[in-house]
Amino acid sequence: MIKVAVLGVGTVGSGVVDILEKNADIIQARCGKKIVPIIGVVRDLSKKRDVSIPLTDDVKSVINRDDIDIYVELMGGVEQTYQVVKEILNRGKSVVTANKALLAYHRYDLQKAAKKSTIGFEASVAGGIPIIKALREGLSANHITAIKGILNGTCNYILTKMMNEKGSFKDILKEAQELGYAEADPAFDIGGLDAAHKLLILSSIAYGIDAKPEDILIEGIENIGHEDIYFAKEFEYSIKLLGIAKKQGKRVELRVHPSLIPQDKMIAKVDGVMNGISLIGDFVGETMYYGAGAGKNATASAVVADLVDIAREGQSPMLGFKSSLENSKLTVMPKDEVKTKYYFRVKVKDKIGVLAKIANIMERSQISIESFLQKMETKQLGTTTLFFATHHCKEANVQEALREIEKLEFVSAKPVMIRIED
Ligand code: HSE
């Protein structure tokens, strides 16, 4: 029998206990052992919880127990939780965690600490979608040329609603929070950090890269307005918050930002709170994964799958590599050198020479315009909005041009830029 302690018995924790009880038969048949939750740790014992296992608020005493085989970490938090998980691993016990922020900072430290034990973290990326397994086991024969993922359900819900309805950003975010998908602080969702945590975990398995959130380009969806939705529809794009990794020689682009995607691409059709990930391998080609990226049952399903794997005693290296890539070691491409296509929205006073001045800045910055649209403001007479889509150009040049454009006296609001992914 495998005895499990659940650290953090909130929504997902109670889902884990529920699956282990209700699906005990199939779980035992699949791994040849009974997996039994025997204790839960909570911060507030007075809060009513719908689980049958005994609960305590004394995490230390649970960590020190000799009879527990696997700890399920669902407490959240980074530094304190890191100390707890390290202590458990040092005691030779295995850990299953859904904590993407912890892994974004400490995945390599934890891999090192897990000498005699295992860390399962399938639930940390895209909830119920078995994406860690797909990448680490299923595609292990391939160099991964690209990852493009809708990794945050809250942002996808908001962007989908903005495309289909007219609701305000604030109201739609409130709905997403009510659905129980958003982080405790929804700024993590909206600002792109949650998706970045998940992208960093995937990029370790795909490329062996130890980058932190500070090392990569992260932009959220806060500045997307209904004008951008108008442009997207006009040119048959969807807007999605994408986590993107692309191998370029010995370097890897890693970035999270809103992207305009042609509506006929599969990933553009992933709507609402769902997650979707496209993985491209050099031999397999493109593979797509779709499913619930969060929520009680989907996340608990991934946690229990890790428990089953540990019970089966099959060993994959935590981050997928038994040795480093040596001669072909990959590094992260500096943010400024990223090359992609861009969309600009610029609100200006409708005067002679305005368009020429903006086009001139773009020319000086080596930016070539692919398409252009102008829309007169009906509410603010004398102002107009200019929409540009560019050919491929360099991020540094785009940032420079945007700074110049913003300074022009006839530009009446900070220009908005979205990267195009086609
Ligand atoms: N806040 C996350 C999301 C939850 O919206 O996708 C899953 O990690």
Side-chain angles (χ1 to χ4, degrees):
M1 178 164 80
I2 303 283
K3 291 185 183 161
V4 174
V6 183
L7 311 182
V9 190
T11 311
V12 177
S14 56
V16 169
V17 174
D18 208 31
I19 299 185
L20 287 174
E21 284 170 358
K22 293 203 176 111
N23 279 359
D25 53 351
I26 188 88
I27 290 167
Q28 183 172 355
R30 288 198 168 130
C31 67
K33 290 171 194 151
K34 269 193 178 144
I35 302 180
V36 186
I38 59 163
I39 181 97
V41 177
V42 295
R43 255 186 220 113
D44 180 2
L45 273 172
S46 66
K47 212 161 139 188
K48 204 176 147 15
R49 287 160 219 267
D50 196 17
V51 286
S52 51
I53 55 171
L55 299 175
T56 169
D57 57 2
D58 183 1
V59 70
K60 202 98 199 121
S61 71
V62 175
I63 294 173
N64 288 330
R65 276 173 66 159
D66 290 326
D67 60 334
I68 291 166
D69 302 294
I70 309 175
Y71 290 80
V72 172
E73 184 279 302
L74 299 168
M75 304 182 294
V78 177
E79 293 312 324
Q80 262 187 339
T81 307
Y82 172 51
Q83 296 308 328
V84 169
V85 172
K86 217 164 56 170
E87 209 176 321
I88 297 170
L89 295 171
N90 287 340
R91 285 176 54 81
K93 304 294 177 83
S94 292
V95 175
V96 173
T97 179
N99 189 335
K100 55 245 160 157
L102 169 72
L103 293 161
Y105 285 96
H106 292 298
R107 59 200 182 281
Y108 284 93
D109 308 318
L110 291 173
Q111 180 172 251
K112 221 183 270 166
K115 285 182 222 78
K116 289 172 273 164
S117 50
T118 304
I119 305 177
F121 55 103
E122 183 62 70
S124 65
V125 182
I129 306 175
I131 195 68
I132 304 290
K133 213 170 244 305
L135 194 52
R136 189 173 58 191
E137 274 85 45
L139 301 183
S140 61
N142 292 260
H143 285 287
I144 303 299
T145 49
I147 302 172
K148 292 181 194 177
I150 295 174
L151 299 169
N152 185 274
T154 304
C155 287
N156 208 39
Y157 182 81
I158 294 171
L159 292 173
T160 305
K161 281 249 168 173
M162 283 176 81
M163 278 301 272
N164 299 337
E165 298 163 26
K166 271 225 146 37
S168 81
F169 192 102
K170 244 171 98 189
D171 289 344
I172 306 173
L173 169 61
K174 203 161 153 257
E175 279 175 40
Q177 285 177 288
E178 279 159 15
L179 278 167
Y181 275 72
E183 297 301 299
D185 176 357
F188 276 66
D189 298 295
I190 306 306
L193 201 58
D194 176 76
H197 291 158
K198 296 165 180 167
L199 181 70
L200 289 169
I201 297 169
L202 295 181
S203 72
S204 277
I205 302 169
Y207 306 109
I209 278 187
D210 182 9
K212 303 269 186 294
E214 316 56 271
D215 304 326
I216 69 167
L217 192 159
I218 307 172
E219 277 173 25
I221 64 167
E222 324 66 343
N223 296 325
I224 306 284
H226 282 287
E227 299 96 327
D228 307 311
I229 302 289
Y230 162 80
F231 175 90
K233 284 185 179 161
E234 202 71 13
F235 284 86
E236 297 185 349
Y237 286 113
S238 283
I239 304 185
K240 301 285 177 196
L241 181 80
L242 280 191
I244 299 173
K246 279 188 194 165
K247 187 167 176 285
Q248 313 273 10
K250 291 202 162 185
R251 298 193 301 179
V252 180
E253 278 178 33
L254 290 176
R255 47 195 167 100
V256 172
H257 52 70
S259 305
L260 287 160
I261 311 169
Q263 280 173 6
D264 59 357
K265 299 269 173 192
M266 285 254 272
I267 201 149
K269 300 182 201 301
V270 175
D271 279 338
V273 290
M274 302 309 270
N275 281 191
I277 303 150
S278 153
L279 297 180
I280 304 175
D282 54 355
F283 276 80
V284 71
E286 183 173 16
T287 58
M288 262 302 283
Y289 309 83
Y290 170 86
K296 176 177 173 173
N297 289 338
T299 310
S301 156
V303 168
V304 174
D306 276 343
L307 293 174
V308 168
D309 268 1
I310 296 171
R312 282 171 169 164
E313 292 174 36
Q315 281 283 329
S316 279
M318 177 189 164
L319 296 170
F321 287 90
K322 286 245 183 202
S323 58
S324 79
L325 283 167
E326 301 296 343
N327 295 336
S328 48
K329 193 156 176 56
L330 300 171
T331 55
V332 179
M333 179 184 285
K335 297 171 203 177
D336 276 357
E337 291 180 35
V338 162
K339 274 193 186 148
T340 187
K341 293 162 90 174
Y342 294 81
Y343 148 90
F344 300 162
R345 162 167 53 92
V346 193
K347 199 178 224 183
V348 293
K349 295 202 185 89
D350 191 16
K351 290 196 337 198
I352 292 173
V354 165
L355 188 56
K357 285 213 172 75
I358 294 177
N360 192 257
I361 291 176
M362 291 205 188
E363 186 193 1
R364 282 205 308 273
S365 298
Q366 299 284 301
I367 298 169
S368 161
I369 299 164
E370 188 183 89
S371 45
F372 170 72
L373 184 76
Q374 174 166 358
K375 188 171 170 257
M376 293 305 291
E377 286 287 331
T378 44
K379 286 188 201 129
Q380 261 177 292
L381 288 181
T383 56
T384 184
T385 304
L386 310 177
F387 302 90
F388 302 88
T390 76
H391 289 286
H392 277 89
C393 47
K394 222 163 121 186
E395 178 81 18
N397 295 355
V398 165
Q399 295 297 349
E400 174 193 84
L402 284 171
R403 278 192 298 272
E404 292 285 308
I405 293 170
E406 193 178 347
K407 275 193 248 153
L408 295 171
E409 45 95 17
F410 50 76
V411 170
S412 48
K414 191 176 160 65
V416 169
M417 176 271 281
I418 306 176
R419 296 168 190 85
I420 299 175
E421 195 59 37
D422 56 6

mmCIF file of all heavy atoms in Angstrom, residues 98 100 123-127 151-155 180-184 189 194 198 273 275 293-295 299, ligand 1:
data_model
loop_
_atom_site.group_PDB
_atom_site.id
_atom_site.type_symbol
_atom_site.label_atom_id
_atom_site.label_comp_id
_atom_site.label_asym_id
_atom_site.label_seq_id
_atom_site.Cartn_x
_atom_site.Cartn_y
_atom_site.Cartn_z
ATOM 1 N N ALA A 98 1.546 20.610 -8.004
ATOM 2 C CA ALA A 98 0.895 21.325 -9.103
ATOM 3 C C ALA A 98 1.402 22.762 -9.138
ATOM 4 O O ALA A 98 0.848 23.612 -9.825
ATOM 5 C CB ALA A 98 -0.623 21.322 -8.886
ATOM 6 N N LYS A 100 3.273 25.595 -10.197
ATOM 7 C CA LYS A 100 4.081 26.062 -11.349
ATOM 8 C C LYS A 100 5.045 27.185 -10.964
ATOM 9 O O LYS A 100 6.138 27.274 -11.511
ATOM 10 C CB LYS A 100 3.174 26.490 -12.495
ATOM 11 C CG LYS A 100 2.142 27.537 -12.117
ATOM 12 C CD LYS A 100 0.718 27.036 -12.211
ATOM 13 C CE LYS A 100 -0.181 27.922 -11.380
ATOM 14 N NZ LYS A 100 -1.552 27.919 -11.739
ATOM 15 N N ALA A 123 0.567 18.124 -13.157
ATOM 16 C CA ALA A 123 -0.545 19.057 -12.931
ATOM 17 C C ALA A 123 -0.120 20.522 -12.990
ATOM 18 O O ALA A 123 -0.971 21.410 -12.983
ATOM 19 C CB ALA A 123 -1.177 18.773 -11.571
ATOM 20 N N SER A 124 1.192 20.780 -13.060
ATOM 21 C CA SER A 124 1.638 22.179 -13.017
ATOM 22 C C SER A 124 1.434 22.907 -14.342
ATOM 23 O O SER A 124 1.396 24.127 -14.373
ATOM 24 C CB SER A 124 3.113 22.257 -12.602
ATOM 25 O OG SER A 124 3.930 21.658 -13.587
ATOM 26 N N VAL A 125 1.338 22.162 -15.431
ATOM 27 C CA VAL A 125 1.161 22.809 -16.745
ATOM 28 C C VAL A 125 -0.100 22.268 -17.416
ATOM 29 O O VAL A 125 -0.244 21.058 -17.607
ATOM 30 C CB VAL A 125 2.372 22.542 -17.679
ATOM 31 C CG1 VAL A 125 2.197 23.260 -19.006
ATOM 32 C CG2 VAL A 125 3.671 22.962 -17.011
ATOM 33 N N ALA A 126 -0.996 23.162 -17.753
ATOM 34 C CA ALA A 126 -2.199 22.818 -18.525
ATOM 35 C C ALA A 126 -3.077 21.761 -17.840
ATOM 36 O O ALA A 126 -3.674 20.915 -18.512
ATOM 37 C CB ALA A 126 -1.813 22.373 -19.932
ATOM 38 N N GLY A 127 -3.164 21.820 -16.524
ATOM 39 C CA GLY A 127 -4.106 21.010 -15.730
ATOM 40 C C GLY A 127 -4.202 19.562 -16.165
ATOM 41 O O GLY A 127 -3.262 18.786 -16.012
ATOM 42 N N LEU A 151 -1.830 28.701 -22.427
ATOM 43 C CA LEU A 151 -1.514 28.053 -21.152
ATOM 44 C C LEU A 151 -2.257 28.689 -19.986
ATOM 45 O O LEU A 151 -2.074 28.262 -18.850
ATOM 46 C CB LEU A 151 0.005 28.134 -20.895
ATOM 47 C CG LEU A 151 0.880 27.445 -21.955
ATOM 48 C CD1 LEU A 151 2.345 27.816 -21.771
ATOM 49 C CD2 LEU A 151 0.716 25.938 -21.885
ATOM 50 N N ASN A 152 -3.038 29.712 -20.265
ATOM 51 C CA ASN A 152 -3.778 30.355 -19.169
ATOM 52 C C ASN A 152 -5.257 30.461 -19.534
ATOM 53 O O ASN A 152 -5.633 31.193 -20.452
ATOM 54 C CB ASN A 152 -3.191 31.731 -18.862
ATOM 55 C CG ASN A 152 -3.864 32.343 -17.647
ATOM 56 O OD1 ASN A 152 -4.904 32.984 -17.750
ATOM 57 N ND2 ASN A 152 -3.307 32.113 -16.475
ATOM 58 N N GLY A 153 -6.075 29.702 -18.806
ATOM 59 C CA GLY A 153 -7.503 29.639 -19.095
ATOM 60 C C GLY A 153 -8.214 30.958 -18.854
ATOM 61 O O GLY A 153 -9.124 31.334 -19.599
ATOM 62 N N THR A 154 -7.777 31.680 -17.814
ATOM 63 C CA THR A 154 -8.431 32.953 -17.480
ATOM 64 C C THR A 154 -8.284 33.936 -18.635
ATOM 65 O O THR A 154 -9.259 34.565 -19.062
ATOM 66 C CB THR A 154 -7.796 33.524 -16.190
ATOM 67 O OG1 THR A 154 -7.921 32.535 -15.168
ATOM 68 C CG2 THR A 154 -8.467 34.798 -15.744
ATOM 69 N N CYS A 155 -7.067 34.083 -19.140
ATOM 70 C CA CYS A 155 -6.847 35.013 -20.268
ATOM 71 C C CYS A 155 -7.613 34.554 -21.498
ATOM 72 O O CYS A 155 -8.188 35.366 -22.227
ATOM 73 C CB CYS A 155 -5.355 35.091 -20.620
ATOM 74 S SG CYS A 155 -4.428 36.014 -19.405
ATOM 75 N N GLY A 180 -13.680 30.029 -10.994
ATOM 76 C CA GLY A 180 -12.681 29.368 -10.154
ATOM 77 C C GLY A 180 -11.376 29.064 -10.867
ATOM 78 O O GLY A 180 -10.586 28.257 -10.394
ATOM 79 N N TYR A 181 -11.116 29.704 -11.999
ATOM 80 C CA TYR A 181 -9.895 29.430 -12.750
ATOM 81 C C TYR A 181 -8.750 30.368 -12.392
ATOM 82 O O TYR A 181 -7.588 30.005 -12.486
ATOM 83 C CB TYR A 181 -10.160 29.528 -14.261
ATOM 84 C CG TYR A 181 -10.699 28.257 -14.840
ATOM 85 C CD1 TYR A 181 -12.005 27.850 -14.575
ATOM 86 C CD2 TYR A 181 -9.913 27.444 -15.623
ATOM 87 C CE1 TYR A 181 -12.508 26.676 -15.090
ATOM 88 C CE2 TYR A 181 -10.401 26.265 -16.139
ATOM 89 C CZ TYR A 181 -11.705 25.880 -15.874
ATOM 90 O OH TYR A 181 -12.195 24.715 -16.376
ATOM 91 N N ALA A 182 -9.105 31.597 -12.012
ATOM 92 C CA ALA A 182 -8.069 32.619 -11.834
ATOM 93 C C ALA A 182 -7.195 32.316 -10.619
ATOM 94 O O ALA A 182 -7.615 31.630 -9.681
ATOM 95 C CB ALA A 182 -8.722 33.984 -11.684
ATOM 96 N N GLU A 183 -5.968 32.822 -10.645
ATOM 97 C CA GLU A 183 -5.069 32.712 -9.493
ATOM 98 C C GLU A 183 -5.616 33.562 -8.348
ATOM 99 O O GLU A 183 -6.439 34.461 -8.571
ATOM 100 C CB GLU A 183 -3.680 33.246 -9.864
ATOM 101 C CG GLU A 183 -2.985 32.471 -10.964
ATOM 102 C CD GLU A 183 -2.788 31.007 -10.598
ATOM 103 O OE1 GLU A 183 -2.107 30.729 -9.618
ATOM 104 O OE2 GLU A 183 -3.347 30.138 -11.286
ATOM 105 N N ALA A 184 -5.108 33.316 -7.116
ATOM 106 C CA ALA A 184 -5.542 34.105 -5.958
ATOM 107 C C ALA A 184 -5.368 35.594 -6.283
ATOM 108 O O ALA A 184 -6.240 36.417 -5.978
ATOM 109 C CB ALA A 184 -4.718 33.726 -4.748
ATOM 110 N N ASP A 189 -2.441 36.020 -13.816
ATOM 111 C CA ASP A 189 -3.039 35.542 -15.074
ATOM 112 C C ASP A 189 -2.928 36.619 -16.140
ATOM 113 O O ASP A 189 -2.316 36.416 -17.186
ATOM 114 C CB ASP A 189 -4.530 35.214 -14.855
ATOM 115 C CG ASP A 189 -4.751 34.109 -13.840
ATOM 116 O OD1 ASP A 189 -4.343 32.980 -14.125
ATOM 117 O OD2 ASP A 189 -5.331 34.380 -12.770
ATOM 118 N N ASP A 194 1.692 33.671 -15.047
ATOM 119 C CA ASP A 194 1.286 32.274 -14.873
ATOM 120 C C ASP A 194 1.639 31.458 -16.127
ATOM 121 O O ASP A 194 2.196 30.364 -16.041
ATOM 122 C CB ASP A 194 -0.222 32.222 -14.587
ATOM 123 C CG ASP A 194 -0.740 30.805 -14.492
ATOM 124 O OD1 ASP A 194 -0.496 30.160 -13.458
ATOM 125 O OD2 ASP A 194 -1.366 30.329 -15.460
ATOM 126 N N LYS A 198 4.586 28.298 -16.751
ATOM 127 C CA LYS A 198 4.325 27.017 -17.426
ATOM 128 C C LYS A 198 5.241 26.849 -18.640
ATOM 129 O O LYS A 198 5.759 25.756 -18.892
ATOM 130 C CB LYS A 198 2.846 26.954 -17.828
ATOM 131 C CG LYS A 198 1.924 26.956 -16.608
ATOM 132 C CD LYS A 198 0.491 27.255 -16.991
ATOM 133 C CE LYS A 198 -0.429 27.258 -15.774
ATOM 134 N NZ LYS A 198 -1.753 27.829 -16.055
ATOM 135 N N VAL A 273 -12.289 28.803 -21.477
ATOM 136 C CA VAL A 273 -11.264 28.526 -20.454
ATOM 137 C C VAL A 273 -10.333 27.380 -20.850
ATOM 138 O O VAL A 273 -9.442 27.008 -20.085
ATOM 139 C CB VAL A 273 -11.876 28.193 -19.074
ATOM 140 C CG1 VAL A 273 -12.503 29.397 -18.443
ATOM 141 C CG2 VAL A 273 -12.859 27.064 -19.178
ATOM 142 N N ASN A 275 -7.345 25.095 -22.554
ATOM 143 C CA ASN A 275 -5.938 25.252 -22.933
ATOM 144 C C ASN A 275 -5.701 24.462 -24.212
ATOM 145 O O ASN A 275 -6.397 23.487 -24.500
ATOM 146 C CB ASN A 275 -5.010 24.686 -21.851
ATOM 147 C CG ASN A 275 -4.812 25.615 -20.658
ATOM 148 O OD1 ASN A 275 -3.954 25.396 -19.826
ATOM 149 N ND2 ASN A 275 -5.607 26.665 -20.563
ATOM 150 N N GLY A 293 -7.453 23.214 -18.680
ATOM 151 C CA GLY A 293 -6.147 23.605 -18.143
ATOM 152 C C GLY A 293 -6.163 23.863 -16.657
ATOM 153 O O GLY A 293 -5.131 24.160 -16.058
ATOM 154 N N ALA A 294 -7.314 23.778 -16.038
ATOM 155 C CA ALA A 294 -7.412 24.039 -14.605
ATOM 156 C C ALA A 294 -8.723 23.429 -14.101
ATOM 157 O O ALA A 294 -9.435 22.775 -14.850
ATOM 158 C CB ALA A 294 -7.385 25.544 -14.344
ATOM 159 N N GLY A 295 -9.003 23.678 -12.823
ATOM 160 C CA GLY A 295 -10.256 23.167 -12.256
ATOM 161 C C GLY A 295 -9.973 21.939 -11.402
ATOM 162 O O GLY A 295 -8.968 21.249 -11.579
ATOM 163 N N THR A 299 -7.255 18.956 -12.723
ATOM 164 C CA THR A 299 -5.944 19.072 -12.085
ATOM 165 C C THR A 299 -5.690 17.859 -11.178
ATOM 166 O O THR A 299 -4.586 17.295 -11.169
ATOM 167 C CB THR A 299 -5.849 20.395 -11.287
ATOM 168 O OG1 THR A 299 -6.275 21.456 -12.143
ATOM 169 C CG2 THR A 299 -4.435 20.670 -10.826
HETATM 170 N N1 HSE B 1 -4.965 30.549 -13.257
HETATM 171 C C1 HSE B 1 -4.662 29.429 -14.097
HETATM 172 C C2 HSE B 1 -5.440 29.587 -15.411
HETATM 173 C C3 HSE B 1 -5.035 28.146 -13.398
HETATM 174 O O1 HSE B 1 -6.294 30.494 -15.520
HETATM 175 O O2 HSE B 1 -5.192 28.843 -16.341
HETATM 176 C C4 HSE B 1 -4.327 26.934 -13.908
HETATM 177 O O3 HSE B 1 -2.959 26.936 -13.689
#
